[in-house]
Amino acid sequence: EFLYAVGLEPMHGHLVLQNRDPALLWIGKSALERVRQNSPYQLSKERVELQQALQMSESEFLKEGEKRRAAFLTRVPAEPAEGQAGNSKICFHVGEKRTWRRFESCNTLEDVLNFARSLPDSPLRVALHNVTLAPPVELDLERQLGFTLQRLELWPTGHLRVQPA
């Protein structure tokens, strides 16, 4: 209706401006500007802009998380071959997901911690709990960081629960 009011006419399935009337166009432009300044229009526009900003920040957050996990993974020693003597096989419990990985028994808690931080869905600040035996034991990530897996009783196999600190 607005387009018809400013002089557009239907022709062959299209709206065409046959006769240009500057006064009608000026009145139409003024009406649009008033609507743009109207509160519901502004709120709708702000809502759309906010949603776009949130989507961009969410994708940036996900990209940053991927970079962080990749950085921790570069600090993890190479996985030893399966069946090699002296290996330790550890299962990481992150939520409902289980991830198995082999380490050498001389690797340290720091190596295991870096691997745990590289896992998807791993929290930013982690706490590790040895759940191999009952009751679970929380590992001290400050004092035990240099302890080997054998000293931490995670050899030849172990289960660690990864939780937010």
Side-chain angles (χ1 to χ4, degrees):
E1 292 178 31
F2 173 77
L3 295 176
Y4 294 129
V6 294
L8 293 169
E9 301 171 5
M11 183 180 290
H12 305 293
H14 300 284
L15 289 177
V16 180
L17 184 61
Q18 289 285 21
N19 300 317
R20 185 170 177 251
D21 185 351
L24 275 178
L25 291 174
W26 186 80
I27 291 171
K29 181 181 175 201
S30 298
L32 284 176
E33 288 174 353
R34 278 194 308 274
V35 169
R36 287 181 78 183
Q37 294 172 355
N38 192 350
S39 181
Y41 175 83
Q42 283 295 74
L43 288 175
S44 177
K45 182 179 177 185
E46 289 172 3
R47 193 174 309 123
V48 167
E49 289 173 350
L50 178 63
Q51 188 65 28
Q52 289 173 341
L54 287 174
Q55 287 174 347
M56 286 182 3
S57 65
E58 181 180 352
S59 68
E60 288 298 317
F61 176 76
L62 293 175
K63 286 179 187 176
E64 187 61 35
E66 289 174 14
K67 285 181 188 176
R68 177 183 55 85
R69 285 191 296 279
F72 283 121
L73 192 57
T74 61
R75 299 178 192 163
V76 178
E79 187 171 14
E82 189 170 354
Q84 190 174 348
N87 284 348
S88 180
K89 193 169 184 181
I90 299 180
C91 181
F92 294 85
H93 303 244
V94 182
E96 296 298 318
K97 192 171 181 181
R98 310 281 187 260
T99 304
W100 285 91
R101 173 127 174 359
R102 290 182 304 278
F103 291 88
E104 293 182 15
S105 60
C106 62
N107 287 142
T108 64
L109 178 58
E110 184 176 9
D111 299 324
V112 170
L113 178 62
N114 285 328
F115 182 76
R117 288 177 172 162
S118 74
L119 293 172
D121 301 326
S122 180
L124 190 58
R125 296 178 52 92
V126 300
L128 295 178
H129 297 265
N130 184 351
V131 294
T132 308
L133 300 173
V137 176
E138 183 172 1
L139 299 175
D140 187 340
L141 299 180
E142 290 181 14
R143 292 190 306 197
Q144 296 178 323
L145 210 53
F147 287 13
T148 64
L149 299 182
Q150 196 167 12
R151 183 166 180 196
L152 293 169
E153 299 178 9
L154 293 171
W155 179 82
T157 188
H159 290 261
L160 292 175
R161 184 173 50 231
V162 182
Q163 293 181 309

